[in-house]
Coordinates of all heavy atoms in Angstrom, one line a residue:
M278 N -11.0 11.8 -10.9 CA -10.2 10.7 -10.6 C -8.8 11.3 -10.2 O -8.3 12.1 -10.8 CB -10.0 9.8 -11.7 CG -9.4 8.4 -11.4 SD -9.4 7.3 -12.8 CE -7.6 7.4 -13.2
A279 N -8.2 10.7 -9.1 CA -6.9 11.1 -8.7 C -6.0 10.0 -8.5 O -6.4 8.8 -8.5 CB -7.1 11.8 -7.3
E280 N -4.7 10.3 -8.5 CA -3.7 9.3 -8.3 C -2.9 9.7 -7.1 O -2.5 10.8 -6.9 CB -2.7 9.2 -9.5 CG -3.4 8.6 -10.7 CD -2.4 8.2 -11.8 OE1 -1.5 9.0 -12.1 OE2 -2.5 7.1 -12.3
Y281 N -2.6 8.7 -6.2 CA -1.9 9.0 -5.0 C -0.6 8.1 -5.0 O -0.7 6.9 -5.2 CB -2.7 8.7 -3.8 CG -4.0 9.6 -3.7 CD1 -5.2 9.1 -4.2 CD2 -3.9 10.9 -3.2 CE1 -6.4 9.9 -4.1 CE2 -5.0 11.6 -3.1 CZ -6.3 11.1 -3.6 OH -7.4 11.9 -3.5
R282 N 0.5 8.7 -4.7 CA 1.7 7.9 -4.5 C 1.9 7.6 -3.0 O 1.9 8.4 -2.2 CB 2.9 8.8 -5.0 CG 4.2 8.0 -4.8 CD 5.4 8.8 -5.3 NE 6.6 8.3 -4.8 CZ 7.8 8.8 -5.0 NH1 7.9 9.9 -5.7 NH2 8.9 8.3 -4.5
I283 N 2.0 6.3 -2.8 CA 2.2 5.8 -1.4 C 3.7 5.9 -1.1 O 4.5 5.3 -1.9 CB 1.7 4.4 -1.2 CG1 0.2 4.4 -1.4 CG2 2.1 3.8 0.1 CD1 -0.5 3.0 -1.4
V284 N 4.1 6.6 -0.1 CA 5.5 6.8 0.2 C 5.9 6.2 1.6 O 7.1 6.1 1.9 CB 5.9 8.3 0.3 CG1 5.7 8.9 -1.1 CG2 5.0 9.1 1.3
C285 N 5.0 5.7 2.4 CA 5.3 5.1 3.6 C 4.2 4.2 4.1 O 3.0 4.4 3.6 CB 5.7 6.1 4.7 SG 4.4 7.3 5.1
T286 N 4.4 3.3 5.0 CA 3.3 2.4 5.5 C 3.5 2.3 7.0 O 4.5 2.5 7.6 CB 3.4 1.0 4.9 OG1 4.6 0.4 5.3 CG2 3.3 1.1 3.3
L287 N 2.4 1.9 7.6 CA 2.4 1.4 9.0 C 1.9 -0.1 8.9 O 0.9 -0.3 8.3 CB 1.5 2.2 9.9 CG 2.0 3.7 10.2 CD1 0.9 4.4 11.0 CD2 3.3 3.7 10.9
Q288 N 2.6 -1.0 9.6 CA 2.2 -2.4 9.5 C 1.9 -2.9 10.9 O 2.4 -2.3 11.9 CB 3.3 -3.2 8.9 CG 3.6 -2.7 7.5 CD 4.2 -3.8 6.6 OE1 4.1 -5.0 6.9 NE2 4.8 -3.4 5.5
S289 N 1.1 -3.9 11.0 CA 0.7 -4.4 12.3 C 0.6 -6.0 12.2 O 0.0 -6.5 11.3 CB -0.6 -3.9 12.7 OG -1.1 -4.6 13.8
P290 N 1.2 -6.7 13.1 CA 1.0 -8.1 13.1 C -0.4 -8.4 13.5 O -0.9 -7.7 14.4 CB 2.0 -8.6 14.1 CG 2.6 -7.5 14.8 CD 2.1 -6.2 14.2
T291 N -1.1 -9.3 12.9 CA -2.4 -9.6 13.3 C -2.7 -11.0 13.7 O -2.2 -11.5 14.7 CB -3.4 -9.2 12.2 OG1 -2.9 -9.7 11.0 CG2 -3.4 -7.7 12.0
C292 N -3.4 -11.7 12.8 CA -4.0 -13.0 13.1 C -3.0 -14.1 13.5 O -3.2 -14.8 14.4 CB -4.8 -13.5 11.9 SG -3.9 -13.4 10.4
N293 N -1.8 -14.1 12.9 CA -0.9 -15.2 13.0 C 0.5 -14.6 13.3 O 1.1 -14.0 12.5 CB -0.9 -16.0 11.7 CG 0.0 -17.2 11.9 OD1 0.8 -17.3 12.8 ND2 -0.2 -18.1 11.0
P294 N 1.0 -14.9 14.5 CA 2.3 -14.3 14.9 C 3.4 -14.8 14.0 O 4.5 -14.1 13.9 CB 2.5 -14.8 16.3 CG 1.4 -15.7 16.7 CD 0.4 -15.7 15.6
L295 N 3.2 -15.9 13.3 CA 4.3 -16.4 12.5 C 4.3 -15.8 11.1 O 5.3 -15.8 10.3 CB 4.2 -17.9 12.3 CG 4.3 -18.8 13.5 CD1 4.1 -20.2 13.2 CD2 5.7 -18.6 14.1
E296 N 3.2 -15.1 10.8 CA 3.0 -14.5 9.5 C 3.6 -13.1 9.5 O 3.6 -12.4 10.5 CB 1.5 -14.5 9.2 CG 1.2 -14.1 7.8 CD -0.3 -13.8 7.7 OE1 -1.0 -14.1 8.6 OE2 -0.7 -13.2 6.7
S297 N 4.0 -12.6 8.3 CA 4.6 -11.3 8.2 C 3.4 -10.3 8.5 O 2.3 -10.6 8.3 CB 5.2 -11.0 6.9 OG 4.2 -11.2 5.9
A298 N 3.8 -9.1 8.9 CA 2.8 -8.1 9.3 C 1.9 -7.7 8.1 O 2.3 -7.8 6.9 CB 3.5 -6.9 9.9
H299 N 0.8 -7.2 8.4 CA -0.1 -6.6 7.4 C 0.0 -5.1 7.4 O 0.2 -4.5 8.4 CB -1.6 -6.9 7.7 CG -1.9 -8.4 7.6 ND1 -1.6 -9.3 8.6 CD2 -2.5 -9.1 6.6 CE1 -2.0 -10.5 8.3 NE2 -2.6 -10.4 7.1
I300 N -0.1 -4.5 6.2 CA -0.2 -3.1 6.1 C -1.5 -2.6 6.6 O -2.6 -3.1 6.2 CB 0.0 -2.6 4.6 CG1 1.5 -2.9 4.3 CG2 -0.4 -1.2 4.4 CD1 1.7 -2.7 2.8
V301 N -1.6 -1.7 7.6 CA -2.8 -1.2 8.1 C -3.0 0.3 7.8 O -4.2 0.7 7.7 CB -2.9 -1.4 9.6 CG1 -3.1 -2.9 9.9 CG2 -1.7 -0.8 10.4
N302 N -2.0 1.0 7.5 CA -2.1 2.4 7.1 C -1.0 2.7 6.0 O 0.0 2.1 6.0 CB -1.8 3.4 8.3 CG -2.8 3.4 9.4 OD1 -2.6 2.7 10.4 ND2 -3.9 4.1 9.2
V303 N -1.4 3.6 5.1 CA -0.4 4.1 4.1 C -0.4 5.6 4.1 O -1.4 6.2 4.4 CB -0.7 3.5 2.7 CG1 -0.6 2.0 2.6 CG2 -2.0 4.0 2.2
G304 N 0.8 6.1 3.9 CA 0.9 7.6 3.7 C 1.1 7.9 2.3 O 1.9 7.3 1.6
T305 N 0.4 8.9 1.8 CA 0.6 9.4 0.4 C 1.1 10.8 0.4 O 0.9 11.6 1.3 CB -0.8 9.4 -0.4 OG1 -1.7 10.2 0.3 CG2 -1.3 7.9 -0.5
G306 N 2.0 11.0 -0.6 CA 2.6 12.3 -0.7 C 3.7 12.2 -1.8 O 3.5 11.7 -2.8
D307 N 4.9 12.8 -1.5 CA 5.9 12.8 -2.5 C 7.3 12.6 -1.7 O 7.3 12.2 -0.6 CB 6.0 14.2 -3.2 CG 6.0 15.4 -2.3 OD1 6.6 15.2 -1.2 OD2 5.6 16.4 -2.7
Q308 N 8.4 12.9 -2.4 CA 9.7 12.6 -1.8 C 9.9 13.3 -0.5 O 10.7 12.9 0.4 CB 10.8 13.1 -2.8 CG 10.9 12.3 -4.1 CD 10.1 13.0 -5.2 OE1 9.0 13.5 -4.9 NE2 10.5 12.9 -6.4
Q309 N 9.2 14.4 -0.3 CA 9.4 15.2 0.9 C 8.7 14.5 2.1 O 9.0 14.8 3.3 CB 8.7 16.6 0.8 CG 9.1 17.3 -0.5 CD 10.6 17.5 -0.7 OE1 11.3 17.7 0.3 NE2 11.0 17.3 -1.9
G310 N 7.9 13.5 1.8 CA 7.2 12.8 2.9 C 5.7 12.7 2.7 O 5.2 13.2 1.6
Y311 N 5.0 12.1 3.6 CA 3.5 12.0 3.4 C 2.8 13.2 3.8 O 3.1 13.9 4.8 CB 3.0 10.7 4.0 CG 2.9 10.7 5.5 CD1 1.7 11.1 6.1 CD2 3.9 10.4 6.4 CE1 1.5 11.1 7.5 CE2 3.8 10.4 7.7 CZ 2.6 10.8 8.3 OH 2.4 10.8 9.7
S312 N 1.7 13.4 3.1 CA 0.8 14.5 3.5 C -0.5 14.1 4.0 O -1.3 14.8 4.6 CB 0.6 15.5 2.3 OG 0.2 14.8 1.2
R313 N -0.8 12.8 3.8 CA -2.1 12.2 4.3 C -1.9 10.8 4.7 O -1.2 10.0 3.9 CB -3.2 12.3 3.1 CG -4.5 11.7 3.5 CD -5.6 12.0 2.6 NE -6.8 11.3 2.9 CZ -7.9 11.3 2.3 NH1 -8.0 12.0 1.2 NH2 -8.9 10.6 2.7
L314 N -2.4 10.4 5.8 CA -2.4 9.0 6.3 C -3.7 8.4 6.1 O -4.7 9.0 6.5 CB -1.9 9.0 7.7 CG -1.5 7.7 8.3 CD1 -0.2 7.3 7.6 CD2 -1.2 7.8 9.8
W315 N -3.8 7.2 5.4 CA -5.0 6.5 5.1 C -5.0 5.2 5.9 O -4.0 4.6 6.1 CB -5.1 6.2 3.7 CG -4.9 7.3 2.7 CD1 -3.7 8.0 2.5 CD2 -5.8 7.8 1.7 NE1 -3.9 8.9 1.4 CE2 -5.2 8.8 0.9 CE3 -7.1 7.4 1.4 CZ2 -5.8 9.4 -0.1 CZ3 -7.8 8.0 0.3 CH2 -7.1 9.1 -0.4
T316 N -6.2 4.8 6.2 CA -6.4 3.4 6.7 C -6.7 2.6 5.4 O -7.0 3.1 4.3 CB -7.6 3.2 7.6 OG1 -8.8 3.6 6.8 CG2 -7.5 4.1 8.8
V317 N -6.5 1.3 5.5 CA -6.7 0.4 4.4 C -8.2 0.6 3.9 O -8.4 0.6 2.7 CB -6.4 -1.1 4.7 CG1 -6.9 -2.0 3.7 CG2 -4.9 -1.3 4.9
S318 N -9.1 0.7 4.8 CA -10.5 0.8 4.3 C -10.8 2.1 3.6 O -11.6 2.2 2.7 CB -11.5 0.6 5.5 OG -11.0 1.0 6.7
E319 N -10.1 3.2 4.0 CA -10.2 4.5 3.3 C -9.7 4.3 1.9 O -10.2 4.9 0.9 CB -9.5 5.6 4.1 CG -10.2 6.1 5.3 CD -9.4 7.0 6.2 OE1 -8.1 7.0 6.0 OE2 -10.0 7.7 7.0
V320 N -8.6 3.6 1.8 CA -8.0 3.4 0.4 C -8.9 2.5 -0.4 O -9.2 2.9 -1.6 CB -6.6 2.6 0.5 CG1 -6.1 2.2 -0.8 CG2 -5.6 3.6 1.2
Y321 N -9.6 1.5 0.2 CA -10.5 0.7 -0.6 C -11.7 1.6 -1.1 O -12.1 1.4 -2.3 CB -11.1 -0.4 0.3 CG -10.3 -1.7 0.4 CD1 -8.9 -1.6 0.3 CD2 -10.9 -2.9 0.5 CE1 -8.1 -2.8 0.4 CE2 -10.1 -4.1 0.6 CZ -8.7 -4.0 0.5 OH -8.0 -5.2 0.6
V322 N -12.2 2.4 -0.2 CA -13.3 3.3 -0.6 C -12.9 4.2 -1.8 O -13.6 4.4 -2.8 CB -13.8 4.2 0.6 CG1 -14.8 5.3 0.1 CG2 -14.5 3.3 1.6
S323 N -11.7 4.8 -1.7 CA -11.1 5.6 -2.7 C -10.9 4.9 -4.0 O -11.2 5.4 -5.1 CB -9.8 6.3 -2.2 OG -9.4 7.2 -3.1
M324 N -10.4 3.6 -3.9 CA -10.2 2.8 -5.1 C -11.6 2.6 -5.8 O -11.7 2.6 -7.0 CB -9.6 1.5 -4.8 CG -8.1 1.6 -4.5 SD -7.4 0.0 -4.0 CE -5.6 0.3 -4.1
D325 N -12.6 2.3 -5.0 CA -14.0 2.0 -5.5 C -14.5 3.3 -6.2 O -15.3 3.1 -7.1 CB -14.9 1.7 -4.4 CG -14.6 0.3 -3.9 OD1 -13.9 -0.5 -4.6 OD2 -15.1 -0.1 -2.7
L326 N -14.0 4.5 -5.9 CA -14.4 5.7 -6.6 C -13.7 5.9 -7.8 O -13.9 6.9 -8.6 CB -14.3 6.9 -5.6 CG -15.2 6.9 -4.4 CD1 -14.8 8.0 -3.5 CD2 -16.6 7.1 -4.8
G327 N -12.7 5.1 -8.1 CA -11.9 5.2 -9.3 C -10.5 5.8 -9.2 O -9.8 6.0 -10.1
N328 N -10.1 6.1 -7.9 CA -8.8 6.7 -7.7 C -7.7 5.6 -7.7 O -8.0 4.4 -7.5 CB -8.8 7.4 -6.4 CG -9.7 8.6 -6.4 OD1 -9.8 9.3 -7.4 ND2 -10.5 8.8 -5.3
K329 N -6.5 6.0 -8.1 CA -5.4 5.0 -8.2 C -4.3 5.3 -7.1 O -4.1 6.4 -6.8 CB -4.8 5.1 -9.6 CG -5.8 4.9 -10.7 CD -5.3 3.7 -11.6 CE -6.3 3.5 -12.8 NZ -7.6 3.0 -12.4
F330 N -3.7 4.2 -6.7 CA -2.6 4.3 -5.8 C -1.4 3.6 -6.4 O -1.6 2.5 -7.0 CB -3.0 3.7 -4.4 CG -4.0 4.5 -3.7 CD1 -5.4 4.4 -4.0 CD2 -3.7 5.3 -2.6 CE1 -6.3 5.1 -3.4 CE2 -4.7 6.0 -1.9 CZ -6.0 6.0 -2.3
Y331 N -0.2 4.1 -6.1 CA 1.0 3.5 -6.7 C 2.2 3.8 -5.8 O 2.1 4.6 -4.9 CB 1.2 4.0 -8.2 CG 1.6 5.4 -8.2 CD1 2.9 5.8 -8.4 CD2 0.6 6.4 -8.2 CE1 3.3 7.2 -8.4 CE2 1.0 7.8 -8.3 CZ 2.3 8.2 -8.4 OH 2.6 9.5 -8.5
T332 N 3.2 3.0 -6.1 CA 4.5 3.3 -5.5 C 5.6 3.5 -6.6 O 5.4 3.1 -7.7 CB 5.0 2.1 -4.6 OG1 5.2 1.0 -5.4 CG2 3.9 1.8 -3.5
I333 N 6.7 4.1 -6.2 CA 7.8 4.2 -7.1 C 9.0 3.5 -6.4 O 9.4 3.9 -5.2 CB 8.2 5.6 -7.5 CG1 7.0 6.2 -8.3 CG2 9.5 5.7 -8.2 CD1 7.2 7.6 -8.8
S334 N 9.6 2.5 -7.0 CA 10.7 1.8 -6.4 C 11.9 2.7 -6.2 O 12.3 3.4 -7.2 CB 11.1 0.6 -7.3 OG 12.4 0.1 -6.9
P335 N 12.5 2.8 -5.0 CA 13.6 3.7 -4.8 C 14.8 3.2 -5.6 O 15.6 4.0 -6.1 CB 13.9 3.6 -3.3 CG 12.9 2.6 -2.8 CD 12.0 2.1 -3.8
S336 N 14.9 1.9 -5.9 CA 16.1 1.4 -6.6 C 16.0 1.5 -8.1 O 16.9 2.0 -8.8 CB 16.4 0.0 -6.2 OG 15.2 -0.8 -6.2
S337 N 14.8 1.1 -8.6 CA 14.7 1.1 -10.1 C 14.0 2.3 -10.6 O 14.0 2.6 -11.8 CB 13.9 -0.2 -10.5 OG 12.6 -0.1 -10.1
G338 N 13.3 3.1 -9.8 CA 12.5 4.2 -10.2 C 11.2 3.8 -11.0 O 10.5 4.6 -11.6
K339 N 10.9 2.5 -10.9 CA 9.8 1.9 -11.6 C 8.5 2.1 -10.8 O 8.5 1.9 -9.6 CB 10.0 0.4 -11.8 CG 9.9 0.0 -13.3 CD 10.3 -1.4 -13.4 CE 9.3 -2.1 -14.4 NZ 9.6 -3.5 -14.7
R340 N 7.4 2.4 -11.5 CA 6.2 2.6 -10.9 C 5.5 1.2 -10.8 O 5.5 0.4 -11.7 CB 5.3 3.5 -11.8 CG 3.9 3.6 -11.3 CD 3.1 4.6 -12.2 NE 1.7 4.4 -12.0 CZ 0.8 5.3 -11.9 NH1 1.2 6.6 -12.1 NH2 -0.4 5.1 -11.7
A341 N 4.8 1.0 -9.6 CA 4.0 -0.2 -9.4 C 2.7 0.2 -8.9 O 2.6 1.0 -8.0 CB 4.7 -1.2 -8.4
N342 N 1.6 -0.3 -9.5 CA 0.3 0.0 -9.1 C 0.0 -0.8 -7.8 O 0.5 -1.9 -7.6 CB -0.7 -0.2 -10.2 CG -0.6 0.7 -11.3 OD1 -0.4 1.9 -11.1 ND2 -0.6 0.2 -12.5
V343 N -0.9 -0.2 -7.0 CA -1.2 -0.9 -5.7 C -2.7 -1.3 -5.8 O -3.6 -0.6 -6.4 CB -1.1 0.1 -4.6 CG1 -1.6 -0.4 -3.3 CG2 0.4 0.5 -4.4
Y344 N -2.9 -2.6 -5.4 CA -4.2 -3.2 -5.5 C -4.7 -3.7 -4.1 O -3.9 -3.9 -3.2 CB -4.1 -4.4 -6.4 CG -3.7 -4.0 -7.8 CD1 -2.4 -4.2 -8.2 CD2 -4.6 -3.5 -8.8 CE1 -2.0 -3.8 -9.5 CE2 -4.2 -3.2 -10.0 CZ -2.9 -3.3 -10.4 OH -2.5 -3.0 -11.6
K345 N -6.0 -3.9 -4.1 CA -6.6 -4.6 -2.9 C -6.0 -6.0 -2.9 O -5.8 -6.6 -3.9 CB -8.1 -4.7 -3.1 CG -8.8 -3.4 -3.1 CD -10.3 -3.6 -3.3 CE -11.1 -2.3 -3.4 NZ -12.5 -2.5 -3.6
Y346 N -5.8 -6.4 -1.7 CA -5.3 -7.8 -1.5 C -5.8 -8.4 -0.3 O -5.7 -7.8 0.8 CB -3.7 -7.8 -1.5 CG -3.1 -9.1 -1.1 CD1 -3.2 -10.2 -1.9 CD2 -2.5 -9.2 0.1 CE1 -2.7 -11.4 -1.5 CE2 -1.9 -10.4 0.5 CZ -2.0 -11.5 -0.3 OH -1.5 -12.7 0.1
Q347 N -6.4 -9.5 -0.4 CA -6.9 -10.2 0.8 C -5.9 -11.3 1.2 O -5.5 -12.1 0.4 CB -8.2 -10.9 0.5 CG -9.0 -11.2 1.7 CD -10.5 -11.6 1.4 OE1 -10.7 -12.1 0.3 NE2 -11.4 -11.4 2.3
C348 N -5.4 -11.2 2.5 CA -4.5 -12.2 3.0 C -5.0 -13.6 2.7 O -6.1 -13.9 3.1 CB -4.2 -11.9 4.4 SG -3.1 -13.1 5.2
N349 N -4.2 -14.4 2.1 CA -4.6 -15.8 1.8 C -4.6 -16.7 3.1 O -5.0 -17.8 3.0 CB -3.9 -16.3 0.6 CG -2.4 -16.4 0.8 OD1 -1.9 -16.2 2.0 ND2 -1.7 -16.5 -0.2
K350 N -4.1 -16.1 4.2 CA -4.0 -17.0 5.4 C -5.2 -16.6 6.3 O -5.8 -17.5 6.9 CB -2.7 -16.8 6.1 CG -1.5 -17.4 5.3 CD -0.3 -17.6 6.2 CE 0.8 -18.2 5.4 NZ 1.6 -17.2 4.7
C351 N -5.4 -15.3 6.5 CA -6.5 -15.0 7.5 C -7.6 -14.2 6.9 O -8.6 -13.9 7.5 CB -5.8 -14.2 8.6 SG -5.3 -12.5 8.1
G352 N -7.5 -13.8 5.6 CA -8.6 -13.1 4.9 C -8.7 -11.7 5.2 O -9.6 -11.0 4.8
K353 N -7.7 -11.1 6.0 CA -7.7 -9.7 6.3 C -7.5 -8.9 5.1 O -6.6 -9.2 4.3 CB -6.7 -9.4 7.4 CG -6.8 -8.1 8.0 CD -5.7 -7.9 9.1 CE -5.6 -6.5 9.5 NZ -6.8 -6.0 10.2
P354 N -8.3 -7.8 4.9 CA -8.1 -7.0 3.7 C -6.8 -6.1 3.9 O -6.6 -5.5 4.9 CB -9.3 -6.1 3.6 CG -9.9 -6.1 5.0 CD -9.5 -7.4 5.7
T355 N -6.0 -6.1 2.9 CA -4.8 -5.3 3.0 C -4.4 -4.9 1.6 O -5.3 -4.8 0.7 CB -3.6 -6.0 3.7 OG1 -2.5 -5.2 3.8 CG2 -3.2 -7.3 3.0
L356 N -3.2 -4.5 1.3 CA -2.8 -3.9 0.0 C -1.5 -4.6 -0.5 O -0.7 -5.0 0.3 CB -2.5 -2.4 0.2 CG -3.8 -1.6 0.5 CD1 -3.3 -0.2 1.0 CD2 -4.7 -1.5 -0.6
R357 N -1.4 -4.6 -1.8 CA -0.2 -5.1 -2.4 C 0.1 -4.3 -3.7 O -0.8 -3.8 -4.3 CB -0.5 -6.6 -2.8 CG 0.3 -7.6 -2.0 CD 0.0 -8.9 -2.5 NE 1.1 -9.8 -2.4 CZ 1.1 -11.1 -2.8 NH1 0.1 -11.6 -3.3 NH2 2.2 -11.8 -2.6
S358 N 1.4 -4.3 -4.0 CA 1.7 -3.6 -5.3 C 2.2 -4.6 -6.3 O 2.7 -5.7 -6.0 CB 2.8 -2.6 -5.0 OG 4.0 -3.2 -4.5
A359 N 2.0 -4.3 -7.6 CA 2.4 -5.1 -8.6 C 2.9 -4.3 -9.8 O 2.4 -3.2 -10.1 CB 1.2 -6.0 -9.1
S360 N 3.9 -4.9 -10.5 CA 4.4 -4.2 -11.7 C 4.6 -5.3 -12.7 O 4.9 -6.5 -12.4 CB 5.7 -3.5 -11.5 OG 6.6 -4.3 -10.9
D361 N 4.3 -5.0 -14.0 CA 4.4 -6.0 -15.0 C 3.6 -7.3 -14.7 O 4.0 -8.4 -14.9 CB 5.9 -6.4 -15.3 CG 6.7 -5.2 -15.7 OD1 6.1 -4.3 -16.3 OD2 7.9 -5.2 -15.4
N362 N 2.4 -7.1 -14.0 CA 1.6 -8.2 -13.7 C 2.2 -9.2 -12.7 O 1.7 -10.2 -12.5 CB 1.1 -8.9 -14.9 CG 0.2 -8.0 -15.8 OD1 -0.6 -7.2 -15.3 ND2 0.4 -8.1 -17.1
K363 N 3.3 -8.8 -12.1 CA 3.8 -9.6 -11.0 C 3.8 -8.9 -9.7 O 4.1 -7.7 -9.6 CB 5.3 -9.9 -11.3 CG 5.5 -11.0 -12.4 CD 7.0 -11.4 -12.5 CE 7.2 -12.2 -13.7 NZ 8.5 -11.7 -14.4
W364 N 3.4 -9.6 -8.7 CA 3.4 -9.0 -7.3 C 4.9 -8.7 -7.0 O 5.8 -9.4 -7.3 CB 2.9 -10.0 -6.3 CG 1.5 -10.3 -6.4 CD1 0.9 -11.6 -6.6 CD2 0.4 -9.4 -6.3 NE1 -0.4 -11.5 -6.7 CE2 -0.8 -10.2 -6.5 CE3 0.2 -8.0 -6.1 CZ2 -2.1 -9.6 -6.5 CZ3 -1.0 -7.5 -6.1 CH2 -2.2 -8.3 -6.3
D365 N 5.1 -7.5 -6.4 CA 6.4 -7.2 -5.9 C 6.3 -6.8 -4.5 O 5.2 -6.7 -3.9 CB 7.1 -6.2 -6.8 CG 6.4 -4.9 -6.8 OD1 5.8 -4.5 -5.8 OD2 6.4 -4.2 -7.8
N366 N 7.4 -6.5 -3.9 CA 7.4 -6.1 -2.4 C 7.7 -4.6 -2.2 O 8.1 -4.2 -1.2 CB 8.4 -7.0 -1.6 CG 9.8 -6.7 -2.0 OD1 10.0 -6.0 -3.0 ND2 10.8 -7.2 -1.3
N367 N 7.4 -3.8 -3.3 CA 7.6 -2.4 -3.1 C 7.0 -1.8 -1.9 O 7.6 -1.0 -1.2 CB 7.0 -1.6 -4.3 CG 7.9 -1.5 -5.5 OD1 9.0 -2.0 -5.4 ND2 7.6 -0.8 -6.5
L368 N 5.7 -2.2 -1.6 CA 5.1 -1.6 -0.4 C 5.8 -2.0 0.9 O 5.9 -1.2 1.8 CB 3.6 -2.1 -0.3 CG 2.6 -1.4 -1.2 CD1 1.2 -2.0 -1.0 CD2 2.5 0.1 -0.8
D369 N 6.3 -3.2 0.9 CA 7.0 -3.7 2.1 C 8.3 -3.0 2.3 O 8.9 -3.0 3.4 CB 7.2 -5.2 2.1 CG 5.9 -5.9 2.3 OD1 5.0 -5.4 3.0 OD2 5.7 -7.1 1.8
S370 N 8.9 -2.5 1.2 CA 10.2 -1.9 1.3 C 10.1 -0.4 1.6 O 11.2 0.3 1.7 CB 11.1 -2.2 0.1 OG 10.4 -1.8 -1.0
L371 N 8.9 0.2 1.7 CA 8.8 1.6 2.0 C 9.1 1.8 3.4 O 8.9 1.0 4.3 CB 7.4 2.1 1.6 CG 7.0 2.1 0.2 CD1 5.5 2.5 0.0 CD2 7.8 3.1 -0.6
P372 N 9.5 3.0 3.8 CA 9.8 3.4 5.2 C 8.5 3.4 6.0 O 7.4 3.6 5.4 CB 10.5 4.7 5.1 CG 10.1 5.3 3.8 CD 9.8 4.2 2.9
V373 N 8.7 3.3 7.3 CA 7.6 3.5 8.2 C 7.2 5.0 8.2 O 8.0 5.9 8.3 CB 8.0 3.0 9.6 CG1 6.9 3.4 10.7 CG2 8.2 1.5 9.6
C374 N 5.9 5.3 8.2 CA 5.4 6.7 8.3 C 5.8 7.2 9.7 O 5.4 6.7 10.7 CB 3.9 6.7 8.1 SG 3.3 6.1 6.5
Q375 N 6.5 8.3 9.7 CA 6.9 8.9 11.0 C 5.7 9.9 11.4 O 5.4 10.8 10.7 CB 8.2 9.7 10.8 CG 9.3 8.9 10.3 CD 9.8 7.9 11.2 OE1 9.6 8.0 12.4 NE2 10.3 6.8 10.7
R376 N 5.2 9.6 12.6 CA 4.1 10.5 13.0 C 4.6 11.7 13.7 O 5.7 11.7 14.3 CB 3.3 9.7 14.1 CG 2.8 8.4 13.4 CD 1.7 7.8 14.3 NE 1.9 6.4 14.4 CZ 0.9 5.5 14.5 NH1 -0.4 6.0 14.5 NH2 1.1 4.2 14.6
Ligands
LIG126 ZN1 -3.1 -12.8 7.5

């Protein structure tokens, strides 16, 4: 089992132009930047194998675990982070992965 820290994301607007974008890719690595770029489905497969994904808030230094999340508007599979059993927007506040 492995743990991966998500340090950046790529988002794409999808089903509904009025809705906020969905995360479609995440980069895992450390403060220096990402070393691997994943699609959401690759992350799902890895989670099913028992691996964990998390983020660290730049402001609080707090760790938030990342979970599968199905958009409640269009049903598209994406990801969300939560700490203390509350959803937070850590993933949304991460920088864009620089290619
Ligand atoms: Zn949606």
Side-chain angles (χ1 to χ4, degrees):
M278 194 178 104
E280 292 194 312
Y281 299 98
R282 176 178 166 186
I283 295 175
V284 294
C285 60
T286 65
L287 292 174
Q288 303 206 15
S289 167
T291 49
C292 49
N293 183 343
L295 297 176
E296 189 193 348
S297 62
H299 295 76
I300 290 170
V301 291
N302 291 97
V303 296
T305 57
D307 55 27
Q308 293 92 325
Q309 315 303 321
Y311 75 92
S312 51
R313 176 170 175 183
L314 195 65
W315 307 64
T316 64
V317 167
S318 30
E319 285 171 341
V320 171
Y321 274 34
V322 169
S323 186
M324 284 176 167
D325 288 342
L326 293 172
N328 297 317
K329 304 236 181 292
F330 292 77
Y331 67 98
T332 63
I333 293 181
S334 163
S336 47
S337 67
K339 232 175 144 180
R340 173 180 163 139
N342 292 317
V343 172
Y344 300 97
K345 296 177 183 178
Y346 169 68
Q347 196 170 29
C348 174
N349 56 16
K350 294 199 177 82
C351 67
K353 193 179 167 64
T355 183
L356 296 165
R357 250 180 146 179
S358 59
S360 52
D361 302 329
N362 297 318
K363 282 189 193 136
W364 294 118
D365 62 33
N366 66 352
N367 270 5
L368 275 179
D369 286 334
S370 54
L371 291 176
V373 171
C374 298
Q375 304 295 331
R376 302 191 222 218

